[in-house]
Amino acid sequence: MQTRRCLPTFARTLFAAPLLCTLFAATLVSHAEGPYKVLDHWKLADTGGWDYLLVDSAAHRVYITRGDHVDAVDTTSGKLIGTISGLHGTHGLALDPDGKVGYISDGGGNAVVVFDRSNLSTVATVPAGTNPDAIIFEPATKTVWAFNGRSKNISVIDAASRKVIATIDVPGKPEFGVADGQGNVYNNIEDKSEVLKIDARAHKVTATWPAGCESPSGLAMDIAGNRLFPVCDGNKMSVIDAGSGKILATPAIGDGPDAAGWDAKHKLAFASSGDGVLSVVDASTYKTIQSLPTKKGARTMAYDASTDRVYLVTADFGPRPAATAENQHPRPPMIPGSFEIIVVGR
């Protein structure tokens, strides 16, 4: 947060300017204060970019996709447990409720990789669409859903046979999805600013709704309250009735979000943003009750309901290289050893 000089334009007395400055400063401080704070920073020495992360509460670990591998980190110690290697360009993770296996969307390999959670070994590779990105487990049908960003469709994989049993075409680029456990899947269509409702048994889109904000990426769901929380560009989260598609509110969040979370106990929705802010929204009032500074680049997150903790990841970067004919938008290099997990809690 930048410090601004307080310059009142309408103050006419000697006492008005200090008073306005005090009120302005108090507003900024109160917006950052709230129930959550940064508890710890865990450094990981290995290199590589990152995308989604996912908590396995029962096993006390968090998984982080890191390009050609996935890190598994102990949430009690912050130490690296091990890695799942031999991948091509990972994006997301999902866990089977059986506690035995997990699923990785390996976008660079156009596949879903099944891994053994006991020893982090790869046990199967299932061909999917082009560049599977987000991935979820749908419990009512016991299927795995891979949302393919480039082929603009969804690969539905039977968890028992580990085979694709359906391919669902969607009207644009699918981003994150959620399942309500009753046979409905919801999916953000980023380039159309829409949200889809899909029948998980019939493999059909049953409703298409405006997202209520631009370029929705992360998505969380209040299953008990039947509400969806897409996070979008333009510093907005949308709140949508998952039955009717009605937009209930658009609370303010940070800039450049990529992930969302839901706390069923306290009725709070989270949005993590690239500007280094974790936004906390009270779902009873639809007001943002906290904008917690984290660190620039910490735009993906995972929420652990068992501990009421949020995990975010980011790193430090060097200067951006000059553009070339082959690469018009080069990314700045990550500084070795700077990758970290930010632990947020009460």
Side-chain angles (χ1 to χ4, degrees):
M1 179 183 295
Q2 293 182 335
T3 301
R4 296 184 181 181
R5 187 185 301 273
C6 186
L7 295 173
T9 60
F10 56 90
R12 300 300 184 193
T13 70
L14 179 64
F15 302 102
L19 175 61
L20 287 172
C21 284
T22 301
L23 291 174
F24 181 72
T27 300
L28 292 179
V29 171
S30 65
H31 199 49
E33 291 178 345
Y36 291 94
K37 61 183 178 180
V38 175
L39 301 177
D40 211 341
H41 296 260
W42 299 336
K43 293 285 188 178
L44 292 184
D46 63 328
T47 60
W50 66 90
D51 203 343
Y52 292 115
L53 56 161
L54 182 69
V55 169
D56 183 349
S57 297
H60 306 290
R61 65 177 60 169
V62 58
Y63 295 101
I64 310 165
T65 58
R66 302 294 311 276
D68 64 357
H69 65 283
V70 172
D71 285 333
V73 176
D74 187 328
T75 56
T76 62
S77 67
K79 304 299 184 182
L80 182 68
I81 298 169
T83 62
I84 305 161
S85 57
L87 306 170
H88 301 85
T90 58
H91 291 293
L93 298 132
L95 300 177
D96 196 309
D98 67 2
K100 297 178 181 178
V101 299
Y103 307 91
I104 302 164
S105 57
D106 190 10
N110 298 326
V112 169
V113 173
V114 187
F115 68 96
D116 186 325
R117 285 150 69 178
S118 68
N119 57 21
L120 304 181
S121 64
T122 296
V123 297
T125 300
V126 183
T130 308
N131 191 33
D133 189 350
I135 185 170
I136 63 170
F137 188 91
E138 200 294 298
T141 58
K142 294 182 173 55
T143 52
V144 180
W145 291 50
F147 301 90
N148 305 308
R150 293 203 182 100
S151 54
K152 297 180 179 180
N153 54 20
I154 304 167
S155 298
V156 182
I157 301 167
D158 177 65
S161 66
R162 295 173 184 164
K163 296 183 182 300
V164 174
I165 58 173
T167 300
I168 305 169
D169 292 327
V170 295
K173 181 180 181 295
E175 262 288 340
F176 207 77
V178 293
D180 65 2
Q182 305 300 313
N184 295 301
V185 170
Y186 301 87
N187 178 227
N188 285 336
I189 302 299
E190 185 178 29
D191 55 348
K192 302 290 185 180
S193 298
E194 295 174 340
V195 175
L196 304 182
K197 182 177 183 179
I198 307 168
D199 187 321
R201 297 181 178 89
H203 306 136
K204 291 183 179 180
V205 176
T206 57
T208 302
W209 302 319
C213 49
E214 296 298 317
S215 302
S217 52
L219 180 65
M221 186 174 189
D222 168 16
I223 293 176
N226 207 32
R227 294 176 294 181
L228 301 167
F229 301 90
V231 295
C232 302
D233 291 347
N235 302 82
K236 285 186 179 181
M237 171 189 285
S238 182
V239 185
I240 302 174
D241 185 306
S244 67
K246 180 181 178 181
I247 298 167
L248 304 175
T250 53
I253 59 172
D255 185 42
D258 197 36
W262 172 249
D263 173 6
K265 180 180 178 181
H266 300 99
K267 307 295 187 216
L268 300 174
F270 302 93
S272 52
S273 304
D275 61 353
V277 170
L278 177 67
S279 302
V280 185
V281 175
D282 185 335
S284 62
T285 63
Y286 303 132
K287 301 295 185 183
T288 301
I289 62 169
Q290 187 174 11
S291 298
L292 178 69
T294 54
K295 187 175 179 178
K296 187 175 181 180
R299 62 196 303 259
T300 56
M301 59 155 283
Y303 178 70
D304 186 352
S306 69
T307 58
D308 192 19
R309 289 191 172 184
V310 178
Y311 298 94
L312 309 101
V313 290
T314 191
D316 297 325
F317 292 88
R320 187 184 299 275
T324 64
E326 294 77 19
N327 188 357
Q328 295 290 328
H329 303 284
R331 294 183 176 183
M334 189 177 85
I335 296 174
S338 69
F339 181 82
E340 64 177 305
I341 302 168
I342 302 171
V343 185
V344 171
R346 291 176 182 261

